Amino acid sequence: MNIRPLIASTAAACALTASMAMADTGTLKMRFVLDTDNAPKLDLIDPNKDVDFCGKHDIPNEKLIVDPASKGIKNVLVYVYTGRGGTKLDDVPAKNETHELANDECRFQPHYVIAQTGDTLKITNPDPVGHNANLNFFANKAENLMIPAGAEKEVALEKPEPAAIPVECNIHPWMKAYVVVLEHPYAAVSGEDGTLTIEGIPTGEVMFRVSHEAGKIDEVKIGGSKESWRRSRFELDIQPGMNDLGDVLVPGDALSAD
């Protein structure tokens, strides 16, 4: 029996299935830019606790980070909004992944952790000084965990949260991060140049929510036209393949590091 036609037929069917799956999803790309001539300067924190260790490191004030050359805004969060009036999604199977949030050089790293329900948050402390992680959850159990030097703790993320949840260190009050827990994986935060990409989004009308810790992003300019994102939400007709919004200009006075 010649199995080559069978193999070829199976391979073609798999390729067609993969192609159809790709055609049913889209990718959203956008770059957030602060619409100002003078990007705010990134300040450094002057630590007042465990100075012998923390004072050795440059600790940035991460509330508002803007690239001085491109004016790109870092740490803008965008995700598919499924709350009241939002998009209804099919159930997305849990991936049961583990995400690390490190107390590293007297700052939380990374600044944002994006997780899906069923995932685990592992909080580590590679520093030689003790830290704590105060997790101000709404839906999941709130935790205030002591993390001694070299130790780690794990937290189960069982329920979606209504917004980005702040994580604070009560020992070192300048330390702050955010944990985003969603029932789906369609979320991203912008990088150094303000760009973010969300892949695998179901096609059709999709509601998104945008947030930044330094203020509201609800009045923007895209392609020279002003848009009002009421309640920091915007709706897009996601097409198969790439959906590139280009630069999203945010008014210079909308965000503040103070």
Side-chain angles (χ1 to χ4, degrees):
M1 177 181 178
N2 187 354
I3 64 171
R4 289 185 179 180
L6 178 60
I7 294 174
S9 177
T10 302
C14 290
L16 178 60
T17 301
S19 176
M20 290 174 63
M22 292 178 63
D24 290 336
T25 66
T27 297
L28 174 62
K29 183 178 180 181
M30 55 205 308
R31 188 170 80 97
F32 287 89
V33 178
L34 196 64
D35 194 9
T36 179
D37 292 331
N38 299 304
K41 182 181 177 181
L42 180 63
D43 295 325
L44 297 179
I45 298 294
D46 184 14
N48 57 5
K49 298 288 180 66
D50 291 316
V51 177
D52 288 346
F53 174 72
C54 297
K56 296 178 181 179
H57 307 285
D58 288 338
I59 306 172
N61 178 357
E62 297 179 276
K63 185 175 181 180
L64 179 59
I65 301 177
V66 179
D67 180 62
S70 67
K71 309 297 192 302
I73 308 169
K74 188 177 181 180
N75 292 327
V76 180
L77 170 67
V78 176
Y79 60 93
V80 173
Y81 176 71
T82 58
R84 181 177 298 179
T87 302
K88 302 301 180 185
L89 295 173
D90 293 336
D91 290 341
V92 180
K95 295 182 179 179
N96 300 314
E97 295 180 338
T98 297
H99 306 271
E100 182 175 353
L101 178 63
N103 294 264
D104 191 3
E105 298 184 350
C106 296
R107 58 188 284 213
F108 285 116
Q109 298 194 60
H111 194 59
Y112 271 83
V113 173
I114 297 178
Q116 190 176 335
T117 49
D119 288 352
T120 298
L121 179 67
K122 181 170 71 173
I123 305 169
T124 64
N125 181 12
D127 284 351
V129 298
H131 291 286
N132 86 299
N134 192 352
L135 296 149
N136 300 288
F137 287 127
F138 287 100
N140 294 281
K141 181 184 175 182
E143 302 273 8
N144 193 357
L145 303 171
M146 294 302 301
I147 317 291
E152 61 183 44
K153 299 285 179 68
E154 291 191 350
V155 177
L157 305 174
E158 299 175 345
K159 300 178 181 179
E161 293 289 342
I165 300 300
V167 186
E168 298 165 327
C169 176
N170 300 122
I171 301 171
H172 308 97
W174 63 83
M175 291 177 59
K176 196 167 190 176
Y178 292 87
V179 176
V180 181
V181 188
L182 303 168
E183 67 270 43
H184 61 76
Y186 313 123
V189 292
S190 58
E192 297 287 347
D193 70 344
T195 299
L196 64 81
T197 303
I198 306 174
E199 299 179 338
I201 307 168
T203 55
E205 295 292 335
V206 179
M207 182 73 73
F208 295 88
R209 187 175 184 182
V210 56
S211 71
H212 192 282
E213 63 190 287
K216 288 185 178 181
I217 298 179
D218 52 10
E219 300 292 335
V220 299
K221 188 182 292 183
I222 302 176
S225 300
K226 291 183 178 180
E227 293 193 17
S228 180
W229 288 353
R230 188 168 177 264
R231 298 181 181 177
S232 297
R233 302 173 194 169
F234 61 95
E235 191 169 25
L236 293 175
D237 183 10
I238 296 296
Q239 299 295 314
M242 179 60 69
N243 299 257
D244 192 343
L245 289 188
D247 287 351
V248 177
L249 304 184
V250 179
D253 59 355
L255 306 176
S256 173
D258 298 332

